[in-house]
Amino acid sequence: MKNYMAPMEGVTNWVYRNAYHDCFYPMDKYFTPFITAKPNKRLSSKEIKEISPDTNGNLPVIPQILTNNAEDFIKTAHIFRDEYGHKEVNLNLGCPSGTVTAKGKGAGFLGEPDKLDRFLDEIFKGTDMEISIKTRVGTDYEEDWERLLDIYAKYPVKELIIHPRLLKDHYKGTPRYELFQNAQEKLTVPLGYNGDIFSVEAYQEIRVKFPDADSFMYGRGVIARPYLLDEIMRTGGNKENFNRQETYKQKMRQFHDRIYHDYQEYLSGERNVLFRMKELWSYMAPGFTNYAKYLKKIKKSQHFGDYEAAVMSLFGEQEII
Ligand SMILES: Cc1cc2nc3c(=O)[nH]c(=O)nc-3n(C[C@H](O)[C@H](O)[C@H](O)COP(=O)(O)O)c2cc1C
């Protein structure tokens, strides 16, 4: 069973994944937030940092592409291959954001199955790279899924990572677990499960449901509790990669300080750094006791000084739940 870090725009970028990899139980793969393919694509410096070995060292990083144009997909994938040495690329068929789906991309592409089929045919013929897919299970109706499974079954997908929600679900309700089950019955390609693994208990429940899943992908659960995989592995009896002298709170502190330091080095200005840190805290703070007033202070901070004071008091006065 492999463990993957989910792509999360604005969160699981190269700074985050490097700090995570050094501080917590390492993931088997780290998927980049989506990179939009365009005609005559030139990568921006931000995109280069996401995928370059210069900024990612030996981390197993898989670049993710967002597009519904096969030629653009292939050209962008080949930039990743020829200039940065990538062998695998991931296709985003899950993004539910209105600006993306309105253009028929991300989860919006699932609403045009014939076009998707032609697109997949072209990209699998057009490159020797391994192509994995991250998908939702349809746009509006569970019935969409059958047709999509027929399409996926036709191609040599390296791995199909399924977030079993419809586009219209956004992130609401519980995942539609039975649709992941359908995929297991119908497909022979390796399947990855993604969605709502927020605790060790949730992990165990989903593991029991899908013991044959090839991988689990972690998003919001690991952002909120970066030590989640350490906890899962410890519960599972795997004692590797632990420094038992350190508490999770100490590890969180080191992790926070590393990200905060690196953002100060690579982003310009207090505003940009604090914007990123505040977004992280909106996930992490609820993992602490009595967090509300500390989170409020963190969110209100305008300068490094008041931000650091708020973070210091949270770590000093509260405990991890
Ligand atoms: C803020 C945010 C940004 C995201 N960005 C991406 C993205 O760039 N590409 C992608 O495939 N999924 C993206 N996702 C979806 C996640 O990868 C994941 O599928 C989703 O959060 C469900 O998994 P979870 O319940 O473990 O969080 C994003 C989700 C969130 C909340």
PDB file of all heavy atoms in Angstrom, residues 196-222:
ATOM      1  N   ASP A 196     -11.329  12.193   2.424  1.00  0.00           N
ATOM      2  CA  ASP A 196     -11.801  12.197   3.815  1.00  0.00           C
ATOM      3  C   ASP A 196     -11.030  11.261   4.747  1.00  0.00           C
ATOM      4  O   ASP A 196     -11.597  10.772   5.722  1.00  0.00           O
ATOM      5  CB  ASP A 196     -13.302  11.855   3.882  1.00  0.00           C
ATOM      6  CG  ASP A 196     -14.167  12.918   3.224  1.00  0.00           C
ATOM      7  OD1 ASP A 196     -13.663  13.575   2.283  1.00  0.00           O
ATOM      8  OD2 ASP A 196     -15.321  13.095   3.638  1.00  0.00           O
ATOM      9  N   ILE A 197      -9.749  11.020   4.484  1.00  0.00           N
ATOM     10  CA  ILE A 197      -8.956  10.262   5.469  1.00  0.00           C
ATOM     11  C   ILE A 197      -8.427  11.300   6.466  1.00  0.00           C
ATOM     12  O   ILE A 197      -7.344  11.866   6.296  1.00  0.00           O
ATOM     13  CB  ILE A 197      -7.804   9.467   4.815  1.00  0.00           C
ATOM     14  CG1 ILE A 197      -8.325   8.641   3.633  1.00  0.00           C
ATOM     15  CG2 ILE A 197      -7.146   8.540   5.851  1.00  0.00           C
ATOM     16  CD1 ILE A 197      -7.246   7.902   2.857  1.00  0.00           C
ATOM     17  N   PHE A 198      -9.241  11.562   7.465  1.00  0.00           N
ATOM     18  CA  PHE A 198      -8.955  12.661   8.398  1.00  0.00           C
ATOM     19  C   PHE A 198      -8.386  12.188   9.733  1.00  0.00           C
ATOM     20  O   PHE A 198      -7.996  13.011  10.549  1.00  0.00           O
ATOM     21  CB  PHE A 198     -10.245  13.452   8.683  1.00  0.00           C
ATOM     22  CG  PHE A 198     -10.794  14.172   7.477  1.00  0.00           C
ATOM     23  CD1 PHE A 198     -12.164  14.359   7.327  1.00  0.00           C
ATOM     24  CD2 PHE A 198      -9.950  14.679   6.502  1.00  0.00           C
ATOM     25  CE1 PHE A 198     -12.678  15.028   6.228  1.00  0.00           C
ATOM     26  CE2 PHE A 198     -10.452  15.349   5.396  1.00  0.00           C
ATOM     27  CZ  PHE A 198     -11.821  15.523   5.251  1.00  0.00           C
ATOM     28  N   SER A 199      -8.402  10.883   9.990  1.00  0.00           N
ATOM     29  CA  SER A 199      -7.963  10.372  11.292  1.00  0.00           C
ATOM     30  C   SER A 199      -7.529   8.924  11.115  1.00  0.00           C
ATOM     31  O   SER A 199      -7.802   8.304  10.081  1.00  0.00           O
ATOM     32  CB  SER A 199      -9.129  10.415  12.287  1.00  0.00           C
ATOM     33  OG  SER A 199     -10.154   9.557  11.813  1.00  0.00           O
ATOM     34  N   VAL A 200      -6.887   8.384  12.162  1.00  0.00           N
ATOM     35  CA  VAL A 200      -6.484   6.978  12.119  1.00  0.00           C
ATOM     36  C   VAL A 200      -7.729   6.096  11.989  1.00  0.00           C
ATOM     37  O   VAL A 200      -7.741   5.123  11.225  1.00  0.00           O
ATOM     38  CB  VAL A 200      -5.696   6.590  13.398  1.00  0.00           C
ATOM     39  CG1 VAL A 200      -5.367   5.109  13.402  1.00  0.00           C
ATOM     40  CG2 VAL A 200      -4.423   7.411  13.508  1.00  0.00           C
ATOM     41  N   GLU A 201      -8.805   6.487  12.690  1.00  0.00           N
ATOM     42  CA  GLU A 201     -10.037   5.692  12.639  1.00  0.00           C
ATOM     43  C   GLU A 201     -10.603   5.685  11.219  1.00  0.00           C
ATOM     44  O   GLU A 201     -11.008   4.647  10.704  1.00  0.00           O
ATOM     45  CB  GLU A 201     -11.098   6.248  13.604  1.00  0.00           C
ATOM     46  CG  GLU A 201     -10.733   6.133  15.077  1.00  0.00           C
ATOM     47  CD  GLU A 201      -9.623   7.097  15.499  1.00  0.00           C
ATOM     48  OE1 GLU A 201      -9.501   8.195  14.903  1.00  0.00           O
ATOM     49  OE2 GLU A 201      -8.844   6.735  16.402  1.00  0.00           O
ATOM     50  N   ALA A 202     -10.609   6.866  10.590  1.00  0.00           N
ATOM     51  CA  ALA A 202     -11.127   6.945   9.217  1.00  0.00           C
ATOM     52  C   ALA A 202     -10.266   6.082   8.292  1.00  0.00           C
ATOM     53  O   ALA A 202     -10.786   5.348   7.445  1.00  0.00           O
ATOM     54  CB  ALA A 202     -11.139   8.394   8.737  1.00  0.00           C
ATOM     55  N   TYR A 203      -8.960   6.164   8.494  1.00  0.00           N
ATOM     56  CA  TYR A 203      -8.044   5.344   7.691  1.00  0.00           C
ATOM     57  C   TYR A 203      -8.405   3.863   7.835  1.00  0.00           C
ATOM     58  O   TYR A 203      -8.519   3.134   6.857  1.00  0.00           O
ATOM     59  CB  TYR A 203      -6.594   5.586   8.134  1.00  0.00           C
ATOM     60  CG  TYR A 203      -5.623   4.555   7.601  1.00  0.00           C
ATOM     61  CD1 TYR A 203      -5.046   4.705   6.343  1.00  0.00           C
ATOM     62  CD2 TYR A 203      -5.310   3.417   8.345  1.00  0.00           C
ATOM     63  CE1 TYR A 203      -4.181   3.735   5.839  1.00  0.00           C
ATOM     64  CE2 TYR A 203      -4.455   2.456   7.854  1.00  0.00           C
ATOM     65  CZ  TYR A 203      -3.889   2.614   6.601  1.00  0.00           C
ATOM     66  OH  TYR A 203      -3.047   1.660   6.102  1.00  0.00           O
ATOM     67  N   GLN A 204      -8.591   3.447   9.109  1.00  0.00           N
ATOM     68  CA  GLN A 204      -8.847   2.022   9.342  1.00  0.00           C
ATOM     69  C   GLN A 204     -10.152   1.573   8.700  1.00  0.00           C
ATOM     70  O   GLN A 204     -10.227   0.507   8.090  1.00  0.00           O
ATOM     71  CB  GLN A 204      -8.835   1.721  10.848  1.00  0.00           C
ATOM     72  CG  GLN A 204      -7.412   1.726  11.391  1.00  0.00           C
ATOM     73  CD  GLN A 204      -7.322   1.798  12.893  1.00  0.00           C
ATOM     74  OE1 GLN A 204      -8.283   2.211  13.558  1.00  0.00           O
ATOM     75  NE2 GLN A 204      -6.178   1.421  13.444  1.00  0.00           N
ATOM     76  N   GLU A 205     -11.171   2.431   8.820  1.00  0.00           N
ATOM     77  CA  GLU A 205     -12.471   2.071   8.216  1.00  0.00           C
ATOM     78  C   GLU A 205     -12.348   1.919   6.700  1.00  0.00           C
ATOM     79  O   GLU A 205     -12.878   0.983   6.105  1.00  0.00           O
ATOM     80  CB  GLU A 205     -13.507   3.159   8.509  1.00  0.00           C
ATOM     81  CG  GLU A 205     -14.188   2.986   9.854  1.00  0.00           C
ATOM     82  CD  GLU A 205     -15.066   4.171  10.189  1.00  0.00           C
ATOM     83  OE1 GLU A 205     -15.670   4.764   9.265  1.00  0.00           O
ATOM     84  OE2 GLU A 205     -15.136   4.507  11.394  1.00  0.00           O
ATOM     85  N   ILE A 206     -11.647   2.864   6.089  1.00  0.00           N
ATOM     86  CA  ILE A 206     -11.554   2.839   4.622  1.00  0.00           C
ATOM     87  C   ILE A 206     -10.646   1.684   4.166  1.00  0.00           C
ATOM     88  O   ILE A 206     -10.904   1.032   3.168  1.00  0.00           O
ATOM     89  CB  ILE A 206     -11.093   4.210   4.085  1.00  0.00           C
ATOM     90  CG1 ILE A 206     -12.150   5.274   4.436  1.00  0.00           C
ATOM     91  CG2 ILE A 206     -10.888   4.170   2.576  1.00  0.00           C
ATOM     92  CD1 ILE A 206     -11.745   6.701   4.175  1.00  0.00           C
ATOM     93  N   ARG A 207      -9.642   1.428   4.961  1.00  0.00           N
ATOM     94  CA  ARG A 207      -8.732   0.304   4.658  1.00  0.00           C
ATOM     95  C   ARG A 207      -9.487  -1.028   4.674  1.00  0.00           C
ATOM     96  O   ARG A 207      -9.249  -1.900   3.854  1.00  0.00           O
ATOM     97  CB  ARG A 207      -7.611   0.293   5.703  1.00  0.00           C
ATOM     98  CG  ARG A 207      -6.479  -0.633   5.416  1.00  0.00           C
ATOM     99  CD  ARG A 207      -5.419   0.064   4.576  1.00  0.00           C
ATOM    100  NE  ARG A 207      -4.285  -0.812   4.351  1.00  0.00           N
ATOM    101  CZ  ARG A 207      -4.143  -1.596   3.285  1.00  0.00           C
ATOM    102  NH1 ARG A 207      -5.050  -1.617   2.343  1.00  0.00           N
ATOM    103  NH2 ARG A 207      -3.075  -2.360   3.155  1.00  0.00           N
ATOM    104  N   VAL A 208     -10.400  -1.147   5.630  1.00  0.00           N
ATOM    105  CA  VAL A 208     -11.202  -2.376   5.708  1.00  0.00           C
ATOM    106  C   VAL A 208     -12.122  -2.478   4.489  1.00  0.00           C
ATOM    107  O   VAL A 208     -12.307  -3.548   3.918  1.00  0.00           O
ATOM    108  CB  VAL A 208     -12.013  -2.408   7.032  1.00  0.00           C
ATOM    109  CG1 VAL A 208     -13.071  -3.502   6.999  1.00  0.00           C
ATOM    110  CG2 VAL A 208     -11.074  -2.593   8.211  1.00  0.00           C
ATOM    111  N   LYS A 209     -12.675  -1.343   4.095  1.00  0.00           N
ATOM    112  CA  LYS A 209     -13.546  -1.345   2.901  1.00  0.00           C
ATOM    113  C   LYS A 209     -12.771  -1.720   1.651  1.00  0.00           C
ATOM    114  O   LYS A 209     -13.269  -2.438   0.795  1.00  0.00           O
ATOM    115  CB  LYS A 209     -14.106   0.076   2.664  1.00  0.00           C
ATOM    116  CG  LYS A 209     -15.305   0.470   3.493  1.00  0.00           C
ATOM    117  CD  LYS A 209     -15.848   1.787   2.919  1.00  0.00           C
ATOM    118  CE  LYS A 209     -16.393   2.714   3.960  1.00  0.00           C
ATOM    119  NZ  LYS A 209     -17.475   2.211   4.755  1.00  0.00           N
ATOM    120  N   PHE A 210     -11.558  -1.180   1.525  1.00  0.00           N
ATOM    121  CA  PHE A 210     -10.805  -1.348   0.273  1.00  0.00           C
ATOM    122  C   PHE A 210      -9.398  -1.907   0.521  1.00  0.00           C
ATOM    123  O   PHE A 210      -8.397  -1.217   0.297  1.00  0.00           O
ATOM    124  CB  PHE A 210     -10.697  -0.005  -0.470  1.00  0.00           C
ATOM    125  CG  PHE A 210     -12.025   0.665  -0.664  1.00  0.00           C
ATOM    126  CD1 PHE A 210     -12.239   1.952  -0.227  1.00  0.00           C
ATOM    127  CD2 PHE A 210     -13.062  -0.002  -1.299  1.00  0.00           C
ATOM    128  CE1 PHE A 210     -13.476   2.567  -0.401  1.00  0.00           C
ATOM    129  CE2 PHE A 210     -14.302   0.600  -1.477  1.00  0.00           C
ATOM    130  CZ  PHE A 210     -14.508   1.889  -1.032  1.00  0.00           C
ATOM    131  N   PRO A 211      -9.321  -3.138   1.007  1.00  0.00           N
ATOM    132  CA  PRO A 211      -7.991  -3.683   1.328  1.00  0.00           C
ATOM    133  C   PRO A 211      -7.100  -3.836   0.097  1.00  0.00           C
ATOM    134  O   PRO A 211      -5.880  -3.891   0.230  1.00  0.00           O
ATOM    135  CB  PRO A 211      -8.318  -5.062   1.935  1.00  0.00           C
ATOM    136  CG  PRO A 211      -9.696  -5.393   1.472  1.00  0.00           C
ATOM    137  CD  PRO A 211     -10.403  -4.098   1.250  1.00  0.00           C
ATOM    138  N   ASP A 212      -7.713  -3.878  -1.095  1.00  0.00           N
ATOM    139  CA  ASP A 212      -6.908  -4.089  -2.305  1.00  0.00           C
ATOM    140  C   ASP A 212      -6.491  -2.794  -2.997  1.00  0.00           C
ATOM    141  O   ASP A 212      -5.866  -2.854  -4.060  1.00  0.00           O
ATOM    142  CB  ASP A 212      -7.681  -4.965  -3.310  1.00  0.00           C
ATOM    143  CG  ASP A 212      -7.964  -6.343  -2.724  1.00  0.00           C
ATOM    144  OD1 ASP A 212      -7.142  -6.792  -1.906  1.00  0.00           O
ATOM    145  OD2 ASP A 212      -9.010  -6.927  -3.072  1.00  0.00           O
ATOM    146  N   ALA A 213      -6.858  -1.661  -2.428  1.00  0.00           N
ATOM    147  CA  ALA A 213      -6.440  -0.396  -3.062  1.00  0.00           C
ATOM    148  C   ALA A 213      -4.921  -0.373  -3.136  1.00  0.00           C
ATOM    149  O   ALA A 213      -4.238  -0.823  -2.205  1.00  0.00           O
ATOM    150  CB  ALA A 213      -6.949   0.797  -2.262  1.00  0.00           C
ATOM    151  N   ASP A 214      -4.412   0.149  -4.253  1.00  0.00           N
ATOM    152  CA  ASP A 214      -2.971   0.164  -4.448  1.00  0.00           C
ATOM    153  C   ASP A 214      -2.325   1.308  -3.665  1.00  0.00           C
ATOM    154  O   ASP A 214      -1.177   1.225  -3.237  1.00  0.00           O
ATOM    155  CB  ASP A 214      -2.698   0.326  -5.951  1.00  0.00           C
ATOM    156  CG  ASP A 214      -1.291  -0.049  -6.300  1.00  0.00           C
ATOM    157  OD1 ASP A 214      -0.962  -1.243  -6.157  1.00  0.00           O
ATOM    158  OD2 ASP A 214      -0.518   0.844  -6.684  1.00  0.00           O
ATOM    159  N   SER A 215      -3.093   2.390  -3.523  1.00  0.00           N
ATOM    160  CA  SER A 215      -2.555   3.543  -2.787  1.00  0.00           C
ATOM    161  C   SER A 215      -3.695   4.307  -2.116  1.00  0.00           C
ATOM    162  O   SER A 215      -4.850   4.195  -2.520  1.00  0.00           O
ATOM    163  CB  SER A 215      -1.828   4.491  -3.756  1.00  0.00           C
ATOM    164  OG  SER A 215      -2.745   5.036  -4.681  1.00  0.00           O
ATOM    165  N   PHE A 216      -3.316   5.061  -1.084  1.00  0.00           N
ATOM    166  CA  PHE A 216      -4.207   6.036  -0.465  1.00  0.00           C
ATOM    167  C   PHE A 216      -3.571   7.406  -0.685  1.00  0.00           C
ATOM    168  O   PHE A 216      -2.348   7.564  -0.487  1.00  0.00           O
ATOM    169  CB  PHE A 216      -4.332   5.788   1.046  1.00  0.00           C
ATOM    170  CG  PHE A 216      -5.395   4.779   1.420  1.00  0.00           C
ATOM    171  CD1 PHE A 216      -6.109   4.078   0.463  1.00  0.00           C
ATOM    172  CD2 PHE A 216      -5.688   4.556   2.766  1.00  0.00           C
ATOM    173  CE1 PHE A 216      -7.090   3.152   0.824  1.00  0.00           C
ATOM    174  CE2 PHE A 216      -6.658   3.633   3.136  1.00  0.00           C
ATOM    175  CZ  PHE A 216      -7.364   2.927   2.178  1.00  0.00           C
ATOM    176  N   MET A 217      -4.405   8.359  -1.061  1.00  0.00           N
ATOM    177  CA  MET A 217      -3.908   9.734  -1.240  1.00  0.00           C
ATOM    178  C   MET A 217      -4.510  10.618  -0.152  1.00  0.00           C
ATOM    179  O   MET A 217      -5.715  10.586   0.079  1.00  0.00           O
ATOM    180  CB  MET A 217      -4.293  10.247  -2.628  1.00  0.00           C
ATOM    181  CG  MET A 217      -3.900  11.687  -2.853  1.00  0.00           C
ATOM    182  SD  MET A 217      -4.426  12.280  -4.483  1.00  0.00           S
ATOM    183  CE  MET A 217      -2.965  11.932  -5.444  1.00  0.00           C
ATOM    184  N   TYR A 218      -3.636  11.407   0.486  1.00  0.00           N
ATOM    185  CA  TYR A 218      -4.048  12.228   1.631  1.00  0.00           C
ATOM    186  C   TYR A 218      -4.008  13.708   1.269  1.00  0.00           C
ATOM    187  O   TYR A 218      -2.986  14.193   0.798  1.00  0.00           O
ATOM    188  CB  TYR A 218      -3.095  12.019   2.810  1.00  0.00           C
ATOM    189  CG  TYR A 218      -3.015  10.592   3.276  1.00  0.00           C
ATOM    190  CD1 TYR A 218      -2.189   9.681   2.623  1.00  0.00           C
ATOM    191  CD2 TYR A 218      -3.784  10.154   4.341  1.00  0.00           C
ATOM    192  CE1 TYR A 218      -2.127   8.361   3.045  1.00  0.00           C
ATOM    193  CE2 TYR A 218      -3.726   8.836   4.766  1.00  0.00           C
ATOM    194  CZ  TYR A 218      -2.891   7.948   4.110  1.00  0.00           C
ATOM    195  OH  TYR A 218      -2.833   6.647   4.522  1.00  0.00           O
ATOM    196  N   GLY A 219      -5.117  14.407   1.528  1.00  0.00           N
ATOM    197  CA  GLY A 219      -5.165  15.849   1.306  1.00  0.00           C
ATOM    198  C   GLY A 219      -5.378  16.590   2.614  1.00  0.00           C
ATOM    199  O   GLY A 219      -4.459  16.682   3.442  1.00  0.00           O
ATOM    200  N   ARG A 220      -6.634  17.035   2.826  1.00  0.00           N
ATOM    201  CA  ARG A 220      -6.912  17.899   3.983  1.00  0.00           C
ATOM    202  C   ARG A 220      -6.545  17.248   5.310  1.00  0.00           C
ATOM    203  O   ARG A 220      -6.140  17.953   6.247  1.00  0.00           O
ATOM    204  CB  ARG A 220      -8.390  18.296   3.955  1.00  0.00           C
ATOM    205  CG  ARG A 220      -8.737  19.196   2.767  1.00  0.00           C
ATOM    206  CD  ARG A 220     -10.224  19.243   2.516  1.00  0.00           C
ATOM    207  NE  ARG A 220     -10.742  17.911   2.178  1.00  0.00           N
ATOM    208  CZ  ARG A 220     -12.037  17.590   2.186  1.00  0.00           C
ATOM    209  NH1 ARG A 220     -12.937  18.496   2.503  1.00  0.00           N
ATOM    210  NH2 ARG A 220     -12.410  16.362   1.858  1.00  0.00           N
ATOM    211  N   GLY A 221      -6.649  15.928   5.411  1.00  0.00           N
ATOM    212  CA  GLY A 221      -6.340  15.240   6.670  1.00  0.00           C
ATOM    213  C   GLY A 221      -4.892  15.430   7.085  1.00  0.00           C
ATOM    214  O   GLY A 221      -4.600  15.675   8.263  1.00  0.00           O
ATOM    215  N   VAL A 222      -3.990  15.347   6.108  1.00  0.00           N
ATOM    216  CA  VAL A 222      -2.566  15.498   6.420  1.00  0.00           C
ATOM    217  C   VAL A 222      -2.199  16.978   6.601  1.00  0.00           C
ATOM    218  O   VAL A 222      -1.306  17.298   7.382  1.00  0.00           O
ATOM    219  CB  VAL A 222      -1.695  14.799   5.348  1.00  0.00           C
ATOM    220  CG1 VAL A 222      -0.289  15.386   5.287  1.00  0.00           C
ATOM    221  CG2 VAL A 222      -1.599  13.304   5.665  1.00  0.00           C
TER     222      VAL A 222
END
